[in-house]
Amino acid sequence: MFSYEKVSCSMQTILKNIEKEGLVVFDGDCQVTVQQIVQARSRLRTVVHRTPLQHSNTFSAMTGTDLYMKLENLQKTGAFKLRGAYNKLALLSEAERKNGVITASAGNHAQGVACAAAAFGIASTVFMPETAPLSKKAATENYGSRVVLTGCNYDEAFAAAQNAAVESGAVFVHAFDDPDIIAGQGTIGLDIMDELPDAEAIVVPIGGGGLISGIALAAKTINPNIQIIGVQPEQSNAAALSWRSKQLEQIAAPMSIADGLNVKRPGEITFPLIDRLVDDVVTVPEHAIMHAMRLYLERAKLLVEGAGAISLAALIDGCGYLKGKRTVVLVSGGNVDLTKIGMLTERSV
C-alpha cells in the first residue's frame, strides 16, 4: 500500500536529476520546478486521498501492455483537480483570500476550487459554460461556490470570469496555466514514481496541459527515460496540433464527450513543458472514448468520465509502441452526467 511517509526518491536524488537533465529553467515565464511539486505534496498530504495505483489483468490483455490505472476518479471531488486548486489557494496571502477567488471551469476544476475555498473559508465564484454537466454544477454549488453559467464553451466562460475578477478584485484561479496549479497536479507523478518506480510509460489526458505538464516534469526528473504520452479527442485537439507544429495552435470549436478536455488552445506556461517533456500526443475518436467508458463500467466496475477514460481509449485504439511496456493510464475523473449515461449502452459505439 502506498504511503506518503515512504518516499523512494530522496530530495537529493531529485535535485541531482534536475541538474543532470536541466529540467528547471524553461523559455519565457515558464518556471516550474520539481521542488515546487515536492512542496505541494507536503501541503496536500493530509488533504487529498491516496488514490490507488491498480493493476488490471483485463486491460493488460486488451492492450498488450502491463497496465496500471491511477484512479484519480476516486479522489475527493471525483477528480484530480483538487490537488492544484488547494495548492494554489494555500499559497495566497491573507489579503488575497479576503478578496475571494474566481475561476472558470467545465466542472472538475470548479469543484476543486470550491472545495479548497471552503476549506480556507474563502468566498468563491465559478463561471461554467452553459453546456457544463448538471451534476458538476450541482456539486460545485454544494461545496459553497456561486455558479455563473455563461458561454458555449470553456473559453467563453474563461473570458467572462477574467473580466469579473478584474472588476471585483478577486484572485483569478486558472484551471491549468499557473505554476502552482501545475505543481499540485504534478504530485500525481511523484505518487506514481514512488509506488511504481519501474514504470515505463504514463498515458495522460490533455485539455489545457496542466496535468500532463506536472506529471511529465515529476516523472522525467526521476526517470528521464520514461515515456509520457498525451491523449486528446479528435474533435478537441489543440494540444496535439501545437505539439506537432512546435507552436501554439488554436481550434475554433472544441466539442467532445470528454468535456473536461474541450479547450481551444493549450496554455502559455504549459505548452513549453509539453513541447519539451512529452514524447507523443495522440488523438482518439468519440466512439473510442465512449467504448472505454463502457469498458470501465463493465469490466472494472468504475464510473469514469470521458476525460478519464481517454487514456485507455488511446491504448485500445493504437499506441502500438507501448506493447509489452509497464504502462500507467491516468484515470483523471469520474464525474459523469448520469442523464447522458444511456449513450454508453449503445452497441454501435
Side-chain angles (χ1 to χ4, degrees):
M1 176 65 69
F2 172 71
S3 169
Y4 282 112
E5 309 305 323
K6 183 179 179 181
V7 180
S8 61
C9 291
S10 67
M11 192 60 185
Q12 183 178 8
T13 301
I14 291 173
L15 290 172
K16 283 182 180 178
N17 278 325
I18 292 173
E19 253 180 33
K20 180 181 177 183
E21 298 301 319
L23 297 179
V24 177
V25 180
F26 295 89
D27 295 335
D29 295 327
C30 186
Q31 179 75 20
V32 184
T33 69
V34 172
Q35 290 99 321
Q36 287 173 284
I37 297 174
V38 170
Q39 290 162 6
R41 186 165 65 169
S42 180
R43 293 184 195 102
L44 294 172
R45 66 195 310 167
T46 61
V47 175
V48 299
H49 289 319
R50 302 172 183 178
T51 56
L53 185 63
Q54 183 174 309
H55 185 262
S56 173
N57 291 326
T58 297
F59 295 151
S60 293
M62 283 184 180
T63 63
T65 66
D66 185 16
L67 188 141
Y68 290 76
M69 303 174 292
K70 179 58 174 172
L71 298 176
E72 283 292 296
N73 60 310
L74 303 181
Q75 186 55 262
K76 290 180 183 177
T77 75
F80 72 95
K81 288 286 192 175
L82 176 62
R83 294 174 182 260
Y86 190 95
N87 189 53
K88 175 68 178 178
L89 269 58
L91 293 169
L92 296 181
S93 68
E94 285 302 317
E96 288 172 323
R97 293 180 185 183
K98 286 179 182 178
N99 288 331
V101 295
I102 287 177
T103 194
S105 169
N108 286 338
H109 176 66
Q111 291 175 68
V113 171
C115 182
F120 287 108
I122 301 172
S124 60
T125 301
V126 177
F127 285 70
M128 284 185 174
E130 294 171 357
T131 54
L134 294 178
S135 59
K136 294 184 179 182
K137 174 182 179 292
T140 302
E141 290 174 330
N142 287 341
Y143 285 116
S145 281
R146 182 172 74 95
V147 173
V148 178
L149 294 178
T150 183
C152 296
N153 55 45
Y154 165 77
D155 296 274
E156 292 179 6
F158 173 85
Q162 280 197 314
N163 290 336
V166 170
E167 291 174 1
S168 67
V171 175
F172 182 74
V173 182
H174 203 290
F176 52 84
D177 214 25
D178 181 296
D180 299 328
I181 295 290
I182 295 168
Q185 323 305 28
T187 59
I188 298 171
L190 293 182
D191 289 357
I192 291 170
M193 298 308 293
D194 282 342
E195 193 167 358
L196 193 69
D198 55 351
E200 297 173 278
I202 307 176
V203 186
V204 187
I206 307 181
L211 177 62
I212 197 169
S213 296
I215 288 176
L217 180 56
K220 287 230 170 187
T221 299
I222 295 167
N223 176 11
N225 296 318
I226 194 168
Q227 288 184 280
I228 307 296
I229 311 299
V231 192
Q232 288 204 297
E234 287 181 351
Q235 297 175 202
S236 187
N237 64 339
L241 294 173
S242 300
W243 184 82
R244 291 179 189 125
S245 69
K246 303 297 181 184
Q247 62 185 12
L248 279 171
E249 303 281 356
Q250 181 166 312
I251 60 175
M255 185 55 63
S256 170
I257 190 174
D259 55 272
L261 308 183
N262 286 332
V263 178
K264 286 187 175 181
R265 58 176 272 172
E268 298 281 348
I269 296 174
T270 61
F271 177 65
L273 287 157
I274 294 168
D275 180 54
R276 185 162 180 177
L277 298 175
V278 173
D279 296 282
D280 194 9
V281 180
V282 300
T283 60
V284 296
E286 291 298 290
H287 69 82
I289 300 171
M290 288 188 280
H291 179 55
M293 292 173 70
R294 191 173 70 237
L295 283 173
Y296 274 119
L297 270 174
E298 290 180 344
R299 307 304 295 272
K301 312 309 175 191
L302 292 169
L303 184 63
V304 178
E305 64 188 272
I310 199 170
S311 297
L312 177 61
L315 289 181
I316 293 172
D317 202 52
C319 291
Y321 49 80
L322 295 181
K323 299 289 186 184
K325 293 193 174 182
R326 187 164 293 105
T327 301
V328 178
V329 292
L330 208 296
V331 185
S332 58
N335 292 316
V336 179
D337 185 350
L338 296 182
T339 64
K340 298 180 179 179
I341 204 166
M343 69 177 65
L344 301 182
T345 65
E346 298 174 10
R347 287 293 153 182
S348 59
V349 301

